[in-house]
Amino acid sequence: MSVQVETLEKNMAKVTVEVSEDKVEAAIQQAYQRQKSKIRIPGFRKGKVPRKMIEKMYGPDVFYEDAANQLIRENWGPAADESGVEIVSRPVIDITQIEAGKPFIFTAEVALKPEVKLGEYKGISVAKSEVSVTDEEVEQVIEREREQNARSVVVEDRGIENGDTAVIDFEGFIDGAAFEGGKDENYSLEIGSHSFIDTFEDQLIGHRSGEELEVNVTFPDEYHDEDVAGKPAMFRVLIHEIRTKELPELNDEFAEDVSEFDTLDEYRADVRKQLEEKAKEEAQRIREDEAVGNVVELASMEIPEAMIDTQVEVMVEDFAQRIQSQGLAFEQYMQFSGMTVDKLKEQMRPEATARIERSLVLEQIVKEENIETTDEELAEEIERIVAPYGQQAQTLKEQMREEDKDSIRSNYALQKAVNLILETVVETEE
């Protein structure tokens, strides 16, 4: 295999890869072996048609596409390593030559890691941050805990109020005809949750258990079901039961039930402490983002569009995996949200650019400051990463590949660069 690199404008390059004719012949033969069982020619048993016969009938290039894909898969990785340039995008492949008895030639247009010229990165100014937690914030946390520990009790002496849960049967009609998906029984509807369309929930307020009523609403124009979108509807509703939340009394007994403390004062003090710790962590994150962001602004670099494209694609793939982990197909999410892949990519592009700029600048600081991750630091970082997995931690360490460890080394060094910036920041009043 031979590899040639032609440098293009704007940190792009064209890599030309030539693969020997003997490997081409092997790939064509393997393509034949993969496809022969799918090809039928009269007079031959299935899977027994000679390659020469197939090529005579369908043309000598019948197996070229399959063979080319195989050759690219097998040779692009080694060619990229042999190229001697730092590639930071997925390749755009173009086949120049494929023919039996001749070398296979293809080109790959790729983005190269851009040169970064750092400005100042020590003594950077950041806004001074004050960390404080108000009494109101503490009480909000405690109130949420009361809500989570509330009992649901049946109400019989009054009508529905906002915040109640109504257990109802309902059936919807449009122009006098029932429509699909508009009926349910013993449905628990939290009043004020706005989980039902229009003013449906509001119209139940004041009505009591056992009552039947008609609720008139209009479906939104952008409703996901086109058959009912924008149309007025009437729902017949039967109220079976009204339930309300009964909050626990705010006292020492409540504190014992929801925490490890014996008194309400101790519990309240712990809530404040946790909020202060979170506030400090958030202030530190903001301080770090501002400091690194200022360093990035003082640096200069020319990021190739293909590098940004690749980062966007990675972010879309990560987003799709997160959606699927929540039990929803990515295609369904896109349909429900009215989003397209192109729109999603466009939205992610500024964040992708910012991530690349941050990474490139920190990598340059690591290089100029000769920052390294020691073996001891690597071992400690691996222990920290696997610690949450408990009994599986040792297995995860044993399964860790060298490239995984290299990635951890790199990320640790980048954090060292961040720490270097933060050690010298100058806080200023806003």
Side-chain angles (χ1 to χ4, degrees), residues 164-217:
D164 289 341
T165 295
V167 181
I168 61 174
D169 294 346
F170 62 85
E171 185 173 14
F173 300 84
I174 293 178
D175 296 331
F179 59 90
E180 187 176 354
K183 182 178 181 178
D184 206 345
E185 295 180 352
N186 293 310
Y187 185 90
S188 294
L189 174 61
E190 183 179 347
I191 309 303
S193 65
H194 305 294
S195 55
F196 272 31
I197 62 166
D198 203 8
T199 60
F200 189 105
E201 295 167 30
D202 297 335
Q203 294 180 55
L204 299 185
I205 292 177
H207 292 279
R208 294 173 173 257
S209 298
E211 283 190 43
E212 295 185 41
L213 66 148
E214 292 184 358
V215 173
N216 293 285
V217 295

Side-chain angles (χ1 to χ4, degrees), residues 309-323 330 334 340-346 348-349 355:
D309 292 340
T310 297
Q311 179 65 42
V312 168
E313 289 170 5
V314 170
M315 290 170 64
V316 170
E317 290 166 2
D318 289 345
F319 180 75
Q321 288 179 356
R322 290 199 301 272
I323 291 295
F330 181 60
M334 300 297 278
T340 65
V341 173
D342 286 341
K343 285 182 183 178
L344 186 61
K345 286 183 176 181
E346 193 61 31
M348 289 182 169
R349 200 166 188 83
R355 288 188 187 184

Side-chain angles (χ1 to χ4, degrees), residues 118-157:
L118 294 173
E120 290 294 331
Y121 57 89
K122 295 179 181 178
I124 295 297
S125 296
V126 296
K128 187 176 182 180
S129 59
E130 298 291 340
V131 177
S132 63
V133 174
T134 66
D135 292 343
E136 182 181 1
E137 290 171 326
V138 173
E139 295 309 314
Q140 286 175 350
V141 172
I142 294 174
E143 197 60 29
R144 284 198 297 271
E145 193 65 41
R146 289 182 73 199
E147 289 278 350
Q148 291 174 5
N149 287 270
R151 291 193 309 124
S152 178
V153 296
V154 177
V155 175
E156 296 179 343
D157 59 349

Side-chain angles (χ1 to χ4, degrees), residues 32-40 46-47 58 66:
Y32 159 69
Q33 294 294 340
R34 285 191 292 270
Q35 296 187 38
K36 66 180 182 178
S37 62
K38 304 173 186 177
I39 298 174
R40 293 188 178 184
K46 187 177 180 181
Y58 294 100
D66 191 351

Side-chain angles (χ1 to χ4, degrees), residues 326-366:
Q326 297 170 11
L328 182 65
F330 181 60
E331 293 75 14
Q332 286 181 314
Y333 169 82
M334 300 297 278
Q335 182 181 357
F336 293 157
S337 63
M339 183 67 69
T340 65
V341 173
D342 286 341
K343 285 182 183 178
L344 186 61
K345 286 183 176 181
E346 193 61 31
Q347 287 184 2
M348 289 182 169
R349 200 166 188 83
E351 173 63 19
T353 304
R355 288 188 187 184
I356 292 170
E357 290 174 339
R358 177 188 171 100
S359 179
L360 289 173
V361 165
L362 292 177
E363 286 173 9
Q364 189 64 25
I365 293 175
V366 166

Side-chain angles (χ1 to χ4, degrees), residues 21 86 103 118 208-209 236 304 365 401 416:
E21 52 266 33
E86 193 164 358
L118 294 173
R208 294 173 173 257
S209 298
R236 292 198 183 103
I365 293 175
R401 300 168 300 175
K416 277 187 169 183

